[in-house]
Amino acid sequence: DAGVTQSPTHLIKTRGQQVTLRCSPKSGHDTVSWYQQALGQGPQFIFQYYEEEERQRGNFPDRFSGHQFPNYSSELNVNALLLGDSALYLCASSLKGGNQPQHFGDGTRLSIL
Amino acid sequence: GNSVTQMEGPVTLSEEAFLTINCTYTATGYPSLFWYVQYPGEGLQLLLKATKADDKGSNKGFEATYRKETTSFHLEKGSVQVSDSAVYFCALSDRGTGGFKTIFGAGTRLFVKA
């Protein structure tokens, strides 16, 4: 049973560029959340997708956008990259509901030069 | 807004010592509470959870009780092992408009010496 898979593993971009990160949820899960984790910090909630719609959003600018597809997979897009966007981006999947545990992928390490 | 505060690390203990990692939260609603763990070289994984006041979550010898009166969810283990060395994250999940938002603490790194 495959868990949460993310691609790519690592990515290097320059300021001003755009990036797309991808996530396939654990089999049977219908809800996907995205997080940004800076070194030595806890994950910061970006947004959550369910039924192909953004359901909740954290304190991130509109440069961060996402999408969920009918097969529940998801993308995170970041436009106009800034140096401060360098971080580990984590995808987590779950069943719908606040008391459901989340299963995390290994993340995409994004470096901005 | 909602927030989670954990005790700062690193915490260094000898094997078989008692462990407590403090976690307090602020929330406007009635959140579910979680502890996640990240072992060296591995991804985040759920350790335990509690969904309402006075619930006790437990797993692998770890326990935490949802205390609404003190807004706390402290993690405890009676006898730690070297294999417990990891980073531990306290988190809450609360309902907002349309869905749930999960807030994590900054994490507490635990080192256990043989």
Side-chain angles (χ1 to χ4, degrees):
Chain A
D1 178 22
V4 178
T5 58
Q6 292 186 244
S7 62
T9 305
H10 295 89
L11 205 49
I12 299 174
K13 292 287 188 178
T14 57
R15 280 179 297 175
Q17 285 189 310
Q18 178 265 343
V19 69
T20 297
L21 310 182
R22 295 177 174 83
C23 172
S24 292
K26 178 180 169 64
S27 177
H29 285 179
D30 55 9
T31 300
V32 173
S33 300
W34 286 92
Y35 297 85
Q36 180 192 68
Q37 187 176 22
L39 203 59
Q41 299 296 315
Q44 299 294 310
F45 178 81
I46 302 175
F47 40 53
Q48 181 184 76
Y49 276 84
Y50 171 71
E51 290 184 335
E52 303 180 49
E53 289 189 18
E54 183 183 293
R55 299 292 180 169
Q56 271 292 297
R57 189 177 183 92
N59 295 325
F60 280 81
D62 292 345
R63 299 187 296 110
F64 289 76
S65 63
H67 190 78
Q68 186 179 34
F69 299 94
N71 67 352
Y72 309 119
S73 66
S74 178
E75 290 181 348
L76 164 65
N77 301 293
V78 188
N79 294 323
L81 287 166
L82 303 174
L83 292 178
D85 295 332
S86 295
L88 180 68
Y89 288 84
L90 295 170
C91 171
S93 73
S94 64
L95 295 171
K96 183 178 182 291
N99 62 351
Q100 300 300 321
Q102 295 179 75
H103 292 248
F104 284 82
D106 290 336
T108 294
R109 173 74 61 188
L110 176 62
S111 299
I112 311 301
L113 303 179
Chain B
N2 296 346
S3 66
V4 174
T5 302
Q6 289 182 235
M7 63 186 287
E8 285 193 26
V11 174
T12 303
L13 296 173
S14 297
E15 210 165 21
E16 300 184 4
F18 184 85
L19 168 71
T20 300
I21 299 178
N22 290 336
C23 171
T24 57
Y25 68 90
T26 59
T28 53
Y30 300 93
S32 295
L33 302 175
F34 304 85
W35 278 99
Y36 285 86
V37 60
Q38 188 167 33
Y39 297 103
E42 298 184 19
L44 270 170
Q45 56 187 278
L46 178 72
L47 181 60
L48 54 83
K49 71 173 187 178
T51 58
K52 61 183 187 297
D54 300 325
D55 267 2
K56 178 185 284 188
S58 62
N59 186 27
K60 298 182 181 181
F62 291 88
E63 292 183 341
T65 301
Y66 190 139
R67 301 286 188 199
K68 188 167 172 57
E69 64 276 13
T70 54
T71 61
S72 65
F73 192 54
H74 305 322
L75 182 68
E76 297 182 336
K77 186 174 186 182
S79 176
V80 294
Q81 306 300 311
V82 172
S83 57
D84 294 326
S85 297
V87 182
Y88 292 82
F89 294 92
C90 184
L92 71 81
S93 179
D94 201 8
R95 177 183 284 279
T97 304
F100 293 87
K101 180 185 294 189
T102 301
I103 307 298
F104 281 80
T108 302
R109 183 175 294 277
L110 170 66
F111 292 104
V112 180
K113 303 179 298 184

